[in-house]
Amino acid sequence: MTAESLFQEGPASTGQEQVVQRICVRVAGPVVGAGVHVASLPLGGLEVWLDSPRHRWRFHHRMARELRLAGWHTETGSDRLVLLGWSAVCLSHRARMLSAALAGRLADFDKTAFMAVMIATRLRHERFSVEDLPAEVEARCGDALRWPARLADLDGLERRSSLEPLRLRLAQVAGLEAKVSRRCGEHLALASKVARTVAGGAVPARSRARSSTSSSPGAGLTERMVCVSVPNVSRRASVSS
């Protein structure tokens, strides 16, 4: 790792202070996050510190880990966290993690559907508002995927560098992030659809047709889970009404 890959060539890029604030507040949690402060350094980079000294070392290291995943080189001190600029090593690590997510968790739509069924069913048993159920299930599934929040943190950030190797890595990361963002959107749309099905109490036509031959290879795990999770509404009652 060279000095050029660590340090920015000037003041913090547009939106960087706000993005770092969002990342650190999210990692610190609602209680500690209220005391997170971020300020620009005179020669470039940022410093982050907490109001509360309790567990400061632990929170600094958690925040540093997430900031490195975003692509920045950071250093942790006894009383503050210093962000020094883009790191070629950290950007390469981010690219690997994005690729791993696309090939791993984000390729498993059945897991998201299963999770949505379980969450929606539990919330219905707790008499959660039917109108708010899809949004709540989508939010919880988004938290489990982790990447929607990570990508949302970067809104408004101008990522640039005067160094060609870093520009190439930033472009690679941006391309992978676009793919991850689209895939996350597909997962969240599926979670919302499953939640609406569970909330509405009606099995989709495709699921009803397959449920009569559940032993066939065409009946998927997700559809069977939806079938057994929706309320057992009598068809005869609906016909007679």
Side-chain angles (χ1 to χ4, degrees):
M1 186 183 300
T2 64
E4 288 79 12
S5 68
L6 293 179
F7 298 99
Q8 294 182 179
E9 302 82 27
S13 60
T14 303
Q16 187 181 54
E17 189 170 328
Q18 292 79 6
V19 167
V20 170
Q21 178 89 25
R22 282 199 296 266
I23 292 174
C24 292
V25 167
R26 174 173 60 81
V27 172
V31 177
V32 178
V36 172
H37 302 279
V38 181
S40 298
L41 295 171
L43 299 179
L46 300 169
E47 59 178 344
V48 182
W49 70 95
L50 301 174
D51 281 340
S52 174
R54 187 178 183 185
H55 306 305
R56 179 181 290 164
W57 182 90
R58 184 181 67 186
F59 285 112
H60 279 170
H61 280 269
R62 285 181 181 177
M63 292 185 292
R65 184 168 59 249
E66 197 70 15
L67 290 170
R68 291 182 188 122
L69 181 57
W72 286 300
H73 176 79
T74 63
E75 298 287 347
T76 53
S78 59
D79 61 344
R80 65 195 56 229
L81 172 69
V82 179
L83 184 147
L84 299 175
W86 297 121
S87 161
V89 170
C90 292
L91 287 171
S92 296
H93 174 63
R94 183 172 182 82
R96 286 194 300 271
M97 295 297 289
L98 288 163
S99 297
L102 287 169
R105 176 64 183 88
L106 293 178
D108 190 351
F109 285 92
D110 269 345
K111 185 170 184 178
T112 293
F114 181 87
M115 181 183 300
V117 168
M118 299 304 292
I119 294 172
T121 303
R122 184 171 67 251
L123 289 176
R124 289 193 76 254
H125 289 164
E126 296 171 357
R127 303 196 181 281
F128 193 85
S129 169
V130 173
E131 291 77 12
D132 298 332
L133 187 67
E136 181 66 18
V137 171
E138 183 177 332
R140 295 193 187 191
C141 288
D143 290 341
L145 291 174
R146 304 184 71 176
W147 281 105
R150 286 170 171 165
L151 296 180
D153 284 338
L154 301 180
D155 285 348
L157 176 64
E158 178 187 350
R159 287 180 279 186
R160 54 179 170 79
S161 175
S162 64
L163 302 171
E164 183 66 18
L166 289 181
R167 284 203 301 270
L168 292 174
R169 285 184 171 86
L170 286 168
Q172 178 192 18
V173 165
L176 288 168
E177 286 175 352
K179 293 179 181 178
V180 168
S181 179
R182 288 194 295 271
R183 189 75 62 81
C184 286
E186 294 169 359
H187 278 267
L188 297 181
L190 173 62
S192 181
K193 181 178 180 180
V194 170
R196 289 196 302 272
T197 301
V198 174
V203 182
R206 184 181 173 204
S207 297
R208 288 199 301 268
R210 289 185 175 178
S211 63
S212 61
T213 57
S214 60
S215 59
S216 66
L221 171 63
T222 299
E223 293 179 340
R224 294 200 300 272
M225 282 297 300
V226 172
C227 287
V228 302
S229 299
V230 298
N232 186 16
V233 179
S234 173
R235 294 185 184 176
R236 287 178 297 179
S238 62
V239 172
S240 61
S241 62

